[in-house]
Amino acid sequence: MSNRNLHRIGFQTIAGMVAVCNLPAALATTTATSTPTMKIGVVAITSGPAVKAHVVARSPAPVVKAHVVARSPAPVVKAHVVARSPAPVVKAPVVAAAPAPVAKAPVVAASTTPVKTAVTAASKFGDYYTPFAADSLWNSRPVGAVLGTFVIPKSSYYPAFGAGAYSTGVFLAKDTDPPMVIYPLAGRTGVTDQDNLASVPTITIPHWPAETLAATGNDGHADIVDPTTGIIHSFFALKQLNGKWSASMYTWMPLGGTGWGDPAHYYQGARATGIPASAGLIRRHELDDGKPTYMHALAMSLTYNALSASPAYIYPATSADTPTSIPNTGAIPEGARMMLPPDYDTTKIANPKIRKIADTLKLYGAYVVDRNTGTPFYIYSEILPPVVPAPPPPPWDSVAAAELQRIRMGLRQVIGATSWVDGNNVTLARIQIAAKTGNLALTNNATPAVVGLTPPSGLNLLSMRGPWTVNYRKPTTVPGVYNSWTQTMEFAPSPVRTYMSNGNGTGFSHVAWARMGGPLRLTSTTTGGATLRVVVYNGSTVAFNSGEMPNGKVMDFTWPAGGWATVYATNGISGEKGSVQAHLVAVQ
């Protein structure tokens, strides 16, 4: 989603450093205004009026009817939703028709010399301070990166970094923290729950830190890290009024996972790319940790004249901002990793905070996770608790502004690498970094298409999300319920069979880089005697019928062009709870 108000950043001295500003270019020789500010991690945001570029990015998609082709965009529907199965709100993956413009020069190969880091094999990952697995792309870095040629253009304002109103706080939940019920925003009937493709009356978070604060921007981000459950809870438009918390949407992501969505569970956070707002964030404990770089890739937004219209996003992103009245006219898709070349000179950067960011951009880079309005690039840091009274804004720093413009001109998209190493400095053999074969060929001075990493094999393409209905031929009064936190269809104990079906195609991957097709392998994971069944159609003809699949059964088939499918889940009658989960992967 767009992050507005980035143009209202003034310079502020925080923790002994002069922060970066983001005033309009026309004000480069003027002094920052004295409007009240909120003290934050790296920069100060003035309290001027909000600028909202669009409000449609989070609207639910239309309700669909039965037998929608599986490759159609994921819709929002309401079926069998309970408050105990909250899940993320999703914007359907965006792919515009017009191709994005690209620069007209060959790709530049960066140095293949590995860069030494302070990370050791004893580094801990997957916790509050260092989220996600060691081999997450956030904690991994390319060696011998191949860089593109497109240069981020100037825009209305200066590049910036900081903890603005469209960043987020990151709050640690303890097992002793009480639960919290999240209600719909005023005038709405539910909290959008897109993983379930529904709107739920309330969502209950098991552990709610008392210090939780929502960001003041219209996006209202807040992320809660709960090590007890291993979940990052991510909110959009979170608000507190009279002790009651409300939100437009709720999403979640595994704390020890990849840090990105996958084709089945494709929206796992409140950013436009389907990730938590805390992913890639410069954290408060990292600001003055004495290390020369941040030890992970950073999170960055770009504006319209830098972002690509098509593709709107690439792997590892699973979604992107929806189109607005202002078109994307650049060449960088959301999900792209941006880096500075290895010969970029950071030794003469006077501001230590900017130098640390620049050195991080040389080593790890930054992922494009969102769109803003008018700022060439914006790098996010964690919002700190407000200080009262707020300190006055410091004067304009033209040297820092010029350095940020130099960084803008040096940043390039990573389109390949000779290898990658994870957070423990272990080479990642499983990640294929070479950009897709054929797309890098240069003909008649043409430029390569904008591409990203090759997705790893084994990603699940089938979610058990709804809408589910009771099979009309075999009705029952005990329907199953989809639980997003377990990604399963769950059944209560019952002495009679419960037959559930979903013919809307909503569970099948709609992610642009993981479309349905080709040879597939289906595995059933069930408990309590429950079974899975998948019937795939080519037009009106049955192309594949798995039959009732008990736990552990594996079947191979080929998805027909233009195919669609109905998924069935049936409970057991053993007197115990049951569950059904499907794993559908491409056969290499």
Side-chain angles (χ1 to χ4, degrees):
M1 71 208 55
S2 294
N3 298 281
R4 303 105 189 149
N5 298 1
L6 299 185
H7 60 287
R8 294 184 287 107
I9 299 172
F11 286 91
Q12 172 125 15
T13 300
I14 300 174
M17 52 81 66
V18 178
V20 182
C21 82
N22 193 17
L23 297 175
L27 301 182
T29 59
T30 65
T31 302
T33 62
S34 59
T35 51
T37 62
M38 176 181 69
K39 184 178 180 184
I40 49 184
V42 182
V43 300
I45 305 298
T46 64
S47 57
V51 179
K52 185 79 172 179
H54 68 280
V55 295
V56 299
R58 295 296 175 189
S59 3
V63 175
V64 298
K65 299 181 180 179
H67 304 316
V68 170
V69 177
R71 56 190 172 86
S72 60
V76 169
V77 292
K78 299 181 180 180
H80 306 298
V81 180
V82 295
R84 65 184 177 83
S85 58
V89 155
V90 181
K91 290 181 297 185
V94 180
V95 178
V102 290
K104 294 184 178 181
V107 287
V108 178
S111 168
T112 58
T113 303
V115 182
K116 293 182 179 180
T117 72
V119 177
T120 68
S123 298
K124 184 178 180 181
F125 295 92
D127 65 6
Y128 170 76
Y129 297 99
T130 311
F132 315 128
D135 62 355
S136 162
L137 291 176
W138 289 108
N139 296 322
S140 303
R141 56 186 175 83
V143 178
V146 179
L147 305 181
T149 58
F150 181 83
V151 179
I152 298 173
K154 290 183 177 180
S155 191
S156 303
Y157 312 106
Y158 278 88
F161 67 92
Y166 289 89
S167 188
T168 190
V170 187
F171 306 97
L172 177 62
K174 303 182 292 294
D175 57 5
T176 55
D177 286 332
M180 180 63 66
V181 178
I182 310 300
Y183 295 91
L185 295 174
R188 300 190 182 181
T189 58
V191 180
T192 311
D193 174 6
Q194 186 75 16
D195 188 44
N196 206 0
L197 295 183
S199 179
V200 296
T202 61
I203 290 173
T204 300
I205 306 301
H207 305 116
W208 190 267
E211 62 272 20
T212 300
L213 289 173
T216 57
N218 293 339
D219 290 358
H221 289 304
D223 281 7
I224 295 174
V225 176
D226 189 345
T228 303
T229 59
I231 285 178
I232 300 175
H233 304 284
S234 185
F235 294 91
F236 176 72
L238 182 69
K239 299 180 183 297
Q240 184 184 31
L241 182 63
N242 300 324
K244 179 179 176 181
W245 287 95
S246 302
S248 173
M249 85 166 185
Y250 162 78
T251 62
W252 70 276
M253 173 176 279
L255 176 59
T258 66
W260 294 91
D262 59 66
H265 183 193
Y266 73 102
Y267 214 90
Q268 300 188 20
R271 285 278 179 216
T273 45
I275 61 172
S278 57
L281 206 64
I282 295 174
R283 300 288 299 280
R284 65 175 77 180
H285 61 272
E286 299 176 312
L287 287 173
D288 298 302
D289 60 6
K291 296 178 180 178
T293 71
Y294 299 105
M295 307 310 294
H296 56 82
L298 305 179
M300 169 188 289
S301 65
L302 302 178
T303 194
Y304 296 88
N305 66 354
L307 288 172
S308 163
S310 178
Y313 66 95
I314 57 172
Y315 175 80
T318 51
S319 185
D321 279 288
T322 54
T324 70
S325 58
I326 305 174
N328 289 350
T329 57
I332 307 298
E334 294 184 33
R337 185 185 288 239
M338 307 296 292
M339 291 188 75
L340 288 173
D343 59 354
Y344 187 93
D345 186 7
T346 62
T347 61
K348 297 179 182 178
I349 299 177
N351 186 311
K353 299 299 182 183
I354 298 179
R355 185 168 62 250
K356 186 171 183 177
I357 287 177
D359 283 331
T360 303
L361 292 173
K362 291 176 64 176
L363 183 62
Y364 286 92
Y367 276 107
V368 179
V369 300
D370 222 327
R371 181 177 63 203
N372 69 63
T373 301
T375 302
F377 73 79
Y378 190 91
I379 293 174
Y380 298 96
S381 65
E382 181 179 359
I383 296 176
L384 302 181
V387 174
V388 180
W396 172 267
D397 187 338
S398 59
V399 174
E403 191 58 58
L404 287 173
Q405 289 285 31
R406 191 167 75 92
I407 291 174
R408 172 191 62 78
M409 291 185 289
L411 282 168
R412 298 291 189 275
Q413 182 185 351
V414 176
I415 58 176
T418 58
S419 65
W420 282 58
V421 293
D422 69 9
N424 290 322
N425 285 328
V426 176
T427 299
L428 293 175
R430 69 174 181 83
I431 293 185
Q432 310 254 340
I433 256 346
K436 297 174 183 177
T437 304
N439 287 338
L440 290 181
L442 298 177
T443 305
N444 297 326
N445 203 32
T447 54
V450 178
V451 293
L453 306 178
T454 300
S457 60
L459 294 177
N460 188 21
L461 303 174
L462 178 55
S463 167
M464 297 301 291
R465 70 170 62 90
W468 290 91
T469 57
V470 176
N471 191 313
Y472 70 91
R473 291 191 179 94
K474 300 177 180 179
T476 179
T477 57
V478 189
V481 175
Y482 172 65
N483 186 337
S484 173
W485 286 353
T486 62
Q487 294 286 289
T488 60
M489 167 64 76
E490 295 182 344
F491 294 97
S494 174
V496 297
R497 291 285 184 191
T498 300
Y499 299 89
M500 305 294 295
S501 63
N502 176 5
N504 286 273
T506 53
F508 293 93
S509 173
H510 303 287
V511 174
W513 47 262
R515 295 290 190 187
M516 302 301 301
L520 301 172
R521 177 162 295 162
L522 177 65
T523 303
S524 175
T525 303
T526 68
T527 63
T531 60
L532 168 75
R533 181 186 173 204
V534 177
V535 181
V536 180
Y537 296 87
N538 184 0
S540 59
T541 303
V542 174
F544 168 74
N545 187 340
S546 70
E548 300 297 326
M549 299 178 65
N551 183 49
K553 187 168 183 179
V554 179
M555 300 192 73
D556 291 349
F557 67 98
T558 298
W559 187 274
W564 60 277
T566 298
V567 182
Y568 300 89
T570 305
N571 72 327
I573 54 174
S574 59
E576 58 183 295
K577 294 181 180 179
S579 65
V580 177
Q581 186 176 30
H583 290 87
L584 184 65
V585 301
V587 177
Q588 302 298 316

